[in-house]
Amino acid sequence: MSALLEVRDLLKTYGTGEAATRVLRGLSLCLETGELAALLGPSGSGKSTLLTILGTLMKPTSGSYKMLGQDMVAAGDKALTDFRNAHIGFVFQFHNLLPDFTALENVIFPTAVREGRETPAARARGRDLLSRMGLADRIEFPSANLSGGQKQRVAVARALMNSPELVLADEPTGNLDRASANQVMGLIGQINREEGTTFLISTHDEKIAGFCRRQIVVGEGVVTG
Ligand SMILES: Nc1ncnc2c1ncn2[C@@H]1O[C@H](COP(=O)(O)OP(=O)(O)O)[C@@H](O)[C@H]1O
Ligand SMILES: [Mg+2]
């Protein structure tokens, strides 16, 4: 294993003056390639803030962040967009699927928009991922007709479409019943083992964190365990 992500002394403060909220207060973290890690902490502890920074969607107030050896704090917007598209996948608590699109269309849509066309290779990759998510019989279903757990599995397939090294998942099971949550976590574990994709998954649920080989606990703006 080698370092995929190295974060040192991250500070993030929202607002200024009396309204300033200091969320990250010198957080350091290293993730190796191939890890399956949970980011645990109570609501308000800064999990989403950290994932947004790691996803290069927001800059920290200060501190250093390297991914694949590249400096993500110094990089400009265009470089970050290219980097993100190539190397990072996202899963959110709310699946953000387009309801009128089929499961397959949802999975390949972001790639098709970026490439300006929908290739047979992309369709094949999308079908394969949906099958591996246990959705072989739902590939052509409008996503509005899928259950919550099925929608979230489509969202995981969409995040994996470009074979990212890192998938950041922000409370991906937060909206699901226990059985669906367990199924989503089981499938994420399977992808991690089979493809070596690194996952960092935020949750406030210790049972969900128990699916991961590593638990990273945040509190008071730093890693506490
Ligand atoms: N855009 C923002 N502006 C101001 N405060 C924010 C913003 N986003 C988050 N916060 C505050 O930062 C703290 C951490 O939030 P968040 O990162 O969402 O934590 P978590 O995901 O662990 O619940 C909370 O107190 C929240 O109110
Ligand atoms: Mg959050």
Side-chain angles (χ1 to χ4, degrees), residues 71-133:
D71 185 339
M72 295 288 118
V73 178
D77 286 349
K78 168 79 169 81
L80 284 182
T81 301
D82 292 345
F83 187 91
R84 198 185 304 130
N85 288 340
H87 302 295
I88 306 178
F90 295 91
V91 182
F92 301 99
Q93 181 174 349
F94 301 98
H95 49 77
N96 301 317
L97 299 185
L98 299 164
D100 296 337
F101 280 33
T102 65
L104 179 63
E105 286 165 346
N106 269 287
V107 170
I108 63 180
F109 181 67
T111 307
V113 168
R114 266 200 303 280
E115 294 181 352
R117 66 202 178 102
E118 199 183 286
T119 63
R123 293 185 72 84
R125 167 84 178 154
R127 286 178 168 279
D128 177 51
L129 284 169
L130 285 167
S131 300
R132 293 167 72 181
M133 286 292 129

Side-chain angles (χ1 to χ4, degrees), residues 160-174:
L160 293 167
M161 184 65 197
N162 283 344
S163 306
E165 281 86 348
L166 175 67
V167 172
L168 300 169
D170 196 356
E171 310 236 15
T173 62

Side-chain angles (χ1 to χ4, degrees), residues 21-37:
T21 310
R22 294 173 63 213
V23 179
L24 303 182
R25 302 167 177 237
L27 185 144
S28 298
L29 175 67
C30 206
L31 270 191
E32 308 289 330
T33 298
E35 285 204 85
L36 176 59

Side-chain angles (χ1 to χ4, degrees), residues 47-49 170-171 202:
K47 301 182 299 297
S48 295
T49 298
D170 196 356
E171 310 236 15
S202 83

